[in-house]
Amino acid sequence: GQQVMQIPQYQHVQEGEDFTTYCNSSTTLSNIQWYKQRPGGHPVFLIQLVKSGEVKKQKRLTFQFGEAKKNSSLHITATQTTDVGTYFCVNNLFFGTGTRLTVIP
Amino acid sequence: DTAVSQTPKYLVTQMGNDKSIKCEQNLGHDTMYWYKQDSKKFLKIMFSYNNKELIINETVPNRFSPKSPDKAHLNLHINSLELGDSAVYFCASSLGTGGEKLFFGSGTQLSVL
C-alpha cells in the first residue's frame, strides 16, 4: 500500500506557539485528507485538498497541498490546549504515520 | 444517534480464543472499513466493503474474516487470537469509494493475554 511519511513524529509546544506538520510522498498524490485524533478518541475528518498548490483555512488551521502534489502541510497558529492530539494525513485510505502534538499550558 | 457505532468498546481475551467485533452505520453509506491502530498509533487499513462486496483486503491473515450482512453492517471475526492482535480496531464508513471523507466509530480496544 501507499505510505505517506509525516514529520515530525512528535511535537511539544508551549501554548500560544505555532505548530506545523508535514506530509511527504515519493509519488504524486491524487488528493490528501487531514484527520485529527484526540487522545483516547477516533480520527475525525478535518479537510480534503485536491488541487495543486491549494490552500485552505479553518480558523487557526491552514492546510496546503504542494505544487507537485507530493507533499502537504498543516499549520496551526497560536496553539491551544484543545489542539492536543495526533494529526494524520491520508491518501486514498492510507494513513500517514501521524504527528502527535502536545501543548504545554 | 451515533453515526458509526461499534461494539464492544473493550475486549479482553485469552490467546487462542475467537472473538467478534460488530459495526453499524446509520449514515446510508455504501462503503465500510476496518482499520487497526497499533500501540505506536499507526493506523492501517485492513478491509473495505462496498455494498456488501469485499473490495480491499490489505494482506490481513486469514484468521481475520469480515462479514457484511448488509451495507449498514460490517463485522469482524478473529479466530485463534494472538498477542500481536492486541490493538484498537476502528470501523469507518464513507459515502462511496471515490476518496470521500471517512466517518469513524469510537473503536474497540482488544487486549489478548
Side-chain angles (χ1 to χ4, degrees):
Chain A
Q2 303 125 35
Q3 179 75 61
V4 283
M5 301 303 295
Q6 276 184 257
I7 53 170
Q9 190 174 358
Y10 300 96
Q11 184 78 61
H12 297 253
V13 299
Q14 287 289 143
E15 190 172 15
E17 291 181 340
D18 293 356
F19 158 76
T20 305
T21 172
Y22 301 90
C23 184
N24 298 297
S25 170
S26 57
T27 59
T28 302
L29 305 170
S30 54
N31 64 75
I32 199 87
Q33 295 177 341
W34 284 92
Y35 289 76
K36 176 185 178 180
Q37 184 178 20
R38 292 180 187 272
H42 58 276
V44 175
F45 175 85
L46 294 176
I47 208 147
Q48 176 163 295
L49 306 171
V50 179
K51 300 178 185 176
S52 166
E54 190 170 12
V55 178
K56 288 188 177 180
K57 291 190 176 185
Q58 289 179 353
K59 296 182 181 178
R60 295 179 295 105
L61 277 60
T62 302
F63 304 84
Q64 293 191 353
F65 202 5
E67 292 289 343
K69 297 181 77 171
K70 288 186 176 182
N71 57 73
S72 181
S73 65
L74 158 58
H75 179 83
I76 302 179
T77 304
T79 53
Q80 300 175 359
T81 53
T82 52
D83 296 324
V84 163
T86 302
Y87 292 84
F88 293 97
C89 60
V90 180
N91 175 249
N92 288 341
L93 305 176
F94 290 89
F95 275 66
T97 46
T99 296
R100 195 178 305 184
L101 173 65
T102 301
V103 179
I104 305 161
Chain B
D1 283 343
T2 305
V4 182
S5 58
Q6 52 182 111
T7 55
K9 190 168 176 62
Y10 300 98
L11 191 50
V12 181
T13 189
Q14 299 285 334
M15 275 177 53
N17 284 350
D18 303 339
K19 290 293 178 186
S20 292
I21 308 172
K22 295 186 175 182
C23 180
E24 175 182 3
Q25 55 95 3
N26 63 6
L27 296 168
H29 288 169
D30 286 340
T31 311
M32 296 184 72
Y33 312 85
W34 279 108
Y35 279 84
K36 178 180 179 181
Q37 186 167 44
D38 62 22
S39 57
K40 294 183 179 180
K41 301 298 185 187
F42 295 145
L43 263 163
K44 293 184 180 178
I45 187 167
M46 300 172 69
F47 300 103
S48 171
Y49 268 75
N50 178 259
N51 264 317
K52 303 192 295 176
E53 184 178 334
L54 179 67
I55 55 173
I56 294 176
N57 180 340
E58 278 293 310
T59 60
V60 178
N62 291 338
R63 299 182 296 103
F64 291 79
S65 53
K67 285 186 173 52
S68 183
D70 55 62
K71 73 174 192 176
H73 295 83
L74 180 62
N75 304 322
L76 183 65
H77 188 75
I78 315 170
N79 289 326
S80 303
L81 279 155
E82 300 176 357
L83 293 177
D85 297 332
S86 296
V88 180
Y89 292 84
F90 286 100
C91 176
S93 72
S94 66
L95 190 59
T97 58
E100 293 91 350
K101 69 181 185 180
L102 300 169
F103 292 79
F104 282 84
S106 55
T108 296
Q109 172 92 56
L110 172 65
S111 299
V112 183
L113 307 176

